[in-house]
Each structure stands twice: as C-alpha cells, then as structure tokens.
Amino acid sequence: MKIASKDVSAVSMVKEALEKAKRCKNYNIFTSLNEESALNRAKEIDEKIARGEDAGRLAGVPYALKDNFLSKEGNTTASSKILEPLRAPLDSTTVEKLEAEGAIMIGRTNMDSFAHGSSTENSYFGPTLNAYDKERVAGGSSGGSAVAVAKGIVQFATGTDTGGSIRQPASFNGVYGFKPTYGTISRYGVVAMASSTDCIGFFARSADDIDLLMQICSGQDPKDLTTLPDYYNEKNDKEIKKIGIIKDFDLSKVDPSIKKAFDDKVSELKKDGYEIVELSMPALKYALAVYYIVVPAEITSNLSRHDGIRYGYRSESAKSLDDVFSMSRGAGFMPENKRRIMIGNFVLSSGFYDAYYLKAQKARTLIIDEYKKAFEKCDFILTPVSPSPAFKLGEKVDDPVSMYLEDVMSVPLNLAGVPGLAIPAGETESGLPVGLQIVGPRRSDKALLEFAGRIAGEAKINEEVE
Amino acid sequence: MEITREEIDHLAKLSDFSLSDEEKDGLTTDLKNIIGYISQLNELDTEGIEPTYQVFEMENIWREDEILPQEADREALLNLAPAYLGASGVQDNQIKVPKVL
C-alpha cells in the first residue's frame, strides 16, 4: 500500500484519485463523491506528517466505500430508492477503523440495490460498467468497488459478500477480492441483507494489501455480538502442502478460458511441489438451492424494517398508515428486492416451511460437514469463482434463475462460513479478466492470504478510459 | 409448481408492498421458475440430519445492561424522519404519520 509521506502528500493522492474518478464517470462507479471533506481530511493528514506525528498505517490512502456502509459522509443509499435520502448519523465500525489509520473515503460505490444481485444492474442508479468492456457487467453486488480498484482510482475498496458479492466482481475486473471467515469483521453500521451469511471484506491490488486491511479491521466489536475475538493478528505458521480440487464441479460446463486458467494454476502448483488432492463433495451442487431459500428468508426479515416511517423514502400519495408501508416499499424497492422478499415469505409460510426452509437448513449441515472432511485432506481448495467471465449487460437481467447460477461456486462458502479469496488468473482471448478462488477452513484467513501472495502476482490495473 | 394470482397477492400482502398488474405478471413467472429451481432439494436425503441456522462458533456472549453515550441520539434519529404533507415529519419530539384510527 502506498501511503502519504513527506515526499508524496495526502492532498496530491486524494486529488489524483478524484480526478481519475471523474475521468471514469461513464462507468457509473460512484453513487456520490466526497470532494470537499476528503481534501480537508487529506490536509489534516499532511499537517500530522509535517509535525512528524504518526499518521497511521493507511495515512492519506484514498479508498472507496460500498454504498451499504453507514458513514456520516454522503447518503447511505444501498443503491436503492427507499434509502436514497438517508444521511446516516454515525459511521460503521469498519469506516471508523480505516479512518483511525488515516484512510480517506473519496466516494461511495454503486451496487445492486440492497446487495441483491450478481451484476450491479439492479441498482436504482443504473449499472456499473466492466473495467475492460463497457458493454459488459461489472459483476455484483459490489460492482462499483471492484471497478474503482480495477481502474486504478483507489488502492482499495470495501465490499460485502453474502454469496459471492466480493469475489465475483473482483474476478470480472481482474483484482483481488476477499471474503473472510464469518464473524471476523464487525458488521455494525452495514445495511443487513442475510445475517447468517453476510461478511465484510475488501478489494485490492494484492493479497498483501488485503492482509494489512484485515490486520486493521478484524476483531471483536462490542457493537456486533457476532464478531469473533481477534484471531487474525495471531502468529501464523501453518505450512501449506496440499491443495484440493473438487471433482464434483463439472468443469466442462465452465467457460474454456476459465477451465484453462484453472488447469494452468493446478499444473503450476504441482510444479512448485504442492500435492493436488481430489475431493468428493456431492452436496455442494445443492448449495445454490439452499442459498436461495435461506438467504431470501433472512432478507424478508431484515428488510421489513424499511417502512417509510423513521428514515428514507416515504410515498407522498400515502393516505393511510397501511399505504405508507405498502406504497413506500412498493415504489422504494427494485424488482429483485421484491422477488427475494416474496420468495422468503413463501419458504417461511405455513405449509412450505418444512419442505423448503427446514430442509435447506438440514442440507446446510451436510455442506458444512463436507468442508470439514475436505479440510482434513487438504489445506486449501482451488476452484473457479464463477462459470463464465463478465457477461453482456442485459443478458441475464430478465432471467433470475440464470443470474442466480452465477453464484453456484461462490455461495457454498457463505453457507459454511469459510473464507475465500478471488485472485486474478489471466484473461480470455478477447481480453476479459479471469479469476480463481482459494478457499480455506474457518480462521485460516491469514495463512490463506500469505499463500495467495506466494502463488499470484500484483493485479493488473486498466486506467484506459473508453 | 404453479403459482396463482391469489398466491402472488397473498405474498405481496405478507411482504407489505403494493404491486402493479404488470409486476404481478412478471413475478408469477419468476417465482414459478425460482421455486422450480430450489425444489431440486427434494432429491437430497436429509433423514436424521440436524438443521444449521447459523455458523457463528460462539454463543451466549453476555454484557452488562448499561446505557452508554450514543453518537446517534434521539435528535439525530428524529432528524432522519421523512417529511409529512410537505412539512417537517417531526412534531413534539415524535414522528408524524397518517391517522391510524
């Protein structure tokens, strides 16, 4: 991470980032920019440096914040109409920790509304475009954050990953994207989607940079009772010898360029002396079905708080209290929000609860057990992130099931609470980035990032603006 | 599994949002397809398997029940209330809504 110093001022770093952000305006990366306050913060950092004080491990580093993190700067819209007016009165814990180390938020990034989606096309503010092809999607739901890093605007950006929302856009734009072990980073002040799978994580240019962000942001938070005591900053001396590959994933159905990147990486690992272990994980193929039962059920519950009364958008035509709820929510949610809320109500309703919700939670146990057994045989697992590279805008937006299938290789990790990192792994013949995913057992986050640092290089940055 | 218009209306009511006729038509197809997809779980044998509702490894984390200073105090929270009938949505320290009775 390049930080501000006596030679390179924070002001110059922030100015450069803001200029780049404006140059990339057509990519629709940001929902709002923070020019004035970011420059003021940068001046404060420069004064600290001039006085010889410690300005923090992220001194003057401009970063981008996914639009579902509460922050006193800008409106926390979660890229939705219903939260568009929300000016948060507090900072999320992650924002607090990053800024205590001197990082400077330059803007909030576009996402699928409420993080529901895999392409950032479900945003109230329109889609973010892919860093390498403006006719293609950025991936999602953290599409804006991924493109902000891929375009070289910022060195890092925050994301949330409920079923692949960091890893898939990272792979679509050729950068690193990390989803930690469930409970590693506080979710206080982040708009909730599905509480049993939501994780906070990061996009960056290298595994080393993500390691630094993890050192800063992991640990127990009294404001989030689902945070683990800090294990991340304990010494790691895990020796990595065996890498698992899952034979149940049918790679013939995966795009040839991704299959090639996968095969190449496996050969490389073999050559470097790692033992490749074949794993049988037959329940994983049900993970997507489990996910699209459990997650909508939790969404139904978490999104019921957005009622048009206490904050956000309220319909002006509402005449009765019931109208305030139904008209504010009816106009305030995007179509995909509505699909998920209704699916959640369906799987939780009497008569269907046992067949869908309970059944899914039992299947979840089988998936967790398969990971436990797998990690008795190997240290990490290597898989593709998604079945295809970035697809065309509009290609899947009218077919929710084909959009959901994007997540088939990323959701199992969230159901089991295990960490996963998307690493850049080459490109297709037409120059689209291809990513792979390294999966580890719970709490292996530090070892995983160190391993990734050994087997993959710095991410490519594409500053070209079409 | 077929999804009827009555079921869509019922789910919309449970979900607390209004839908246009066009939205209802789209949702009827979408929900049928999604439920068709998730129904593949029926093939999986889960006999005797305990359900998992959460993957956090700890439970019963206790803390003292004490009032700590809050950055977002009552006034800050009231300031978030949307406008009502073109005027401030707050009166006498409370949020205004249409008449309930």
Side-chain angles (χ1 to χ4, degrees):
Chain A
M1 198 83 70
K2 279 186 221 122
I3 67 170
S5 62
K6 282 191 168 141
D7 302 322
V8 185
S9 72
V11 168
S12 68
M13 288 169 76
V14 167
K15 275 189 178 159
E16 189 189 343
L18 286 166
E19 270 162 31
K20 284 182 181 169
K22 286 182 199 162
R23 217 182 301 148
C24 292
K25 194 170 189 305
N26 292 341
Y27 289 83
N28 200 22
I29 298 168
F30 292 92
T31 54
S32 60
L33 284 178
N34 243 358
E35 298 187 51
E36 206 188 316
S37 63
L39 283 167
N40 287 340
R41 285 249 318 139
K43 281 178 204 150
E44 287 168 25
I45 301 278
D46 284 336
E47 282 160 18
K48 259 193 182 176
I49 293 171
R51 288 195 299 264
E53 290 170 26
D54 179 8
R57 286 179 280 177
L58 298 171
V61 178
Y63 75 101
L65 187 71
K66 189 178 180 182
D67 203 9
N68 56 351
F69 285 72
L70 265 60
S71 142
K72 283 181 269 186
E73 298 298 341
N75 286 21
T76 302
T77 77
S79 295
S80 72
K81 176 173 175 160
I82 201 161
L83 292 186
E84 192 191 10
L86 178 62
R87 183 100 200 175
L90 51 87
D91 287 331
S92 55
T93 296
T94 300
V95 166
E96 254 176 23
K97 287 187 170 179
L98 292 171
E99 304 212 342
E101 292 287 349
I104 300 172
M105 198 262 277
I106 62 149
R108 311 183 57 97
T109 58
N110 197 19
M111 56 186 276
D112 286 299
S113 172
F114 286 99
H116 301 172
S118 312
S119 68
T120 313
E121 289 169 289
N122 298 329
S123 164
Y124 179 56
F125 306 108
T128 295
L129 310 184
N130 188 277
Y132 287 81
D133 181 347
K134 283 172 87 178
E135 286 174 14
R136 291 177 187 271
V137 301
S141 64
S142 316
S145 284
V147 180
V149 174
K151 281 285 174 202
I153 299 170
V154 286
Q155 295 181 72
F156 78 93
T158 69
T160 57
D161 190 315
T162 301
S165 282
I166 289 176
R167 291 160 284 149
Q168 185 251 27
S171 75
F172 278 14
N173 295 283
V175 298
Y176 284 84
F178 186 51
K179 179 208 106 65
T181 298
Y182 182 80
T184 304
I185 298 182
S186 168
R187 299 180 293 186
Y188 177 74
V190 177
V191 178
M193 173 177 167
S195 302
S196 84
T197 64
D198 286 347
C199 283
I200 309 300
F202 300 101
F203 295 88
R205 296 177 195 173
S206 70
D208 269 3
D209 283 356
I210 292 180
D211 169 57
L212 174 62
L213 298 166
M214 292 298 298
Q215 290 177 35
I216 292 167
C217 293
S218 55
Q220 211 156 20
D221 180 1
K223 293 172 180 166
D224 176 359
L225 294 183
T226 53
T227 41
L228 297 165
D230 185 13
Y231 67 86
Y232 190 85
N233 287 304
E234 284 168 12
K235 196 175 169 311
N236 161 53
D237 44 21
K238 189 177 157 104
E239 209 183 329
I240 309 304
K241 288 180 183 154
K242 294 175 181 178
I243 305 303
I245 57 173
I246 304 170
K247 60 180 192 193
D248 308 83
F249 276 154
D250 184 0
L251 288 178
S252 68
K253 286 183 189 150
V254 163
D255 186 274
S257 57
I258 294 178
K259 186 178 182 310
K260 184 176 178 301
F262 181 80
D263 291 342
D264 288 353
K265 188 59 83 179
V266 169
S267 316
E268 220 178 276
L269 289 170
K270 268 188 198 158
K271 218 174 71 193
D272 290 344
Y274 294 100
E275 185 186 337
I276 303 297
V277 183
E278 277 205 358
L279 303 166
S280 170
M281 302 177 75
L284 279 201
K285 77 170 176 178
Y286 297 100
L288 193 68
V290 172
Y291 181 85
Y292 277 99
I293 294 170
V294 170
V295 166
E298 295 183 21
I299 285 171
T300 296
S301 168
N302 273 329
L303 269 64
S304 63
R305 74 188 67 171
H306 306 296
D307 55 11
I309 301 283
R310 295 158 295 158
Y311 52 81
Y313 165 79
R314 186 190 293 182
S315 167
E316 277 157 23
S317 335
K319 297 277 184 289
S320 68
L321 190 61
D322 280 347
D323 280 355
V324 172
F325 301 141
S326 67
M327 292 169 77
S328 304
R329 288 165 63 83
F333 287 133
M334 298 291 283
E336 182 61 19
N337 306 139
K338 292 180 186 172
R339 277 183 208 119
R340 294 194 186 194
I341 291 170
M342 286 174 78
I343 289 288
N345 271 318
F346 173 83
V347 299
L348 290 173
S349 47
S350 63
F352 298 114
Y353 180 91
D354 285 0
Y356 290 96
Y357 187 71
L358 187 62
K359 178 90 183 177
Q361 300 288 35
K362 288 179 178 172
R364 187 177 192 174
T365 306
L366 293 174
I367 291 164
I368 293 167
D369 287 348
E370 281 191 354
Y371 275 112
K372 276 188 192 146
K373 284 187 196 132
F375 288 123
E376 285 165 12
K377 297 186 189 120
C378 66
D379 301 305
F380 294 125
I381 302 172
L382 185 72
T383 79
V385 180
S386 62
S388 69
F391 45 91
K392 287 246 164 88
L393 287 157
E395 191 181 320
K396 300 187 183 203
V397 80
D398 293 325
D399 182 355
V401 173
S402 85
M403 187 73 89
Y404 295 175
L405 284 165
E406 268 304 303
D407 301 334
V408 69
M409 292 160 176
S410 52
V411 298
L413 285 71
N414 298 74
L415 293 170
V418 298
L421 176 73
I423 59 169
E427 55 187 40
T428 66
E429 278 177 15
S430 59
L432 292 174
V434 168
L436 295 173
Q437 172 175 243
I438 309 169
V439 189
R442 282 184 204 166
R443 304 186 191 222
S444 68
D445 303 43
K446 187 150 191 104
L448 198 162
L449 288 167
E450 283 179 5
F451 171 69
R454 285 200 293 277
I455 68 156
E458 179 114 338
K460 209 173 89 187
I461 295 304
N462 174 15
E463 292 198 19
E464 205 175 304
V465 177
E466 283 171 53
Chain B
M1 183 174 155
E2 284 305 315
I3 301 290
T4 63
R5 183 54 80 94
E6 288 72 37
E7 275 161 319
I8 293 290
D9 286 336
H10 178 61
L11 290 172
K13 192 166 179 283
L14 290 175
S15 307
D16 245 330
F17 44 62
S18 53
L19 294 171
S20 66
D21 283 342
E22 199 190 336
E23 282 183 300
K24 285 180 190 173
D25 289 341
L27 282 161
T28 308
T29 314
D30 292 346
L31 262 59
K32 177 176 170 267
N33 292 339
I34 296 166
I35 292 162
Y37 181 82
I38 61 181
S39 297
Q40 63 171 286
L41 263 193
N42 294 333
E43 322 165 357
L44 185 67
D45 183 8
T46 51
E47 189 66 39
I49 306 291
E50 286 297 315
T52 300
Y53 295 102
Q54 54 97 355
V55 290
F56 191 57
E57 296 160 359
M58 303 168 75
E59 48 188 64
N60 295 342
I61 298 173
W62 300 97
R63 63 169 171 78
E64 289 306 314
D65 184 15
E66 52 188 353
I67 299 170
L68 299 170
Q70 297 293 316
E71 201 173 11
D73 57 14
R74 186 179 180 92
E75 195 191 338
L77 294 174
L78 280 171
N79 280 340
L80 301 177
Y84 182 59
L85 299 177
S88 165
V90 178
Q91 190 184 321
D92 301 333
N93 231 3
Q94 294 177 70
I95 295 172
K96 285 202 279 191
V97 294
K99 206 160 63 173
V100 178
L101 293 172

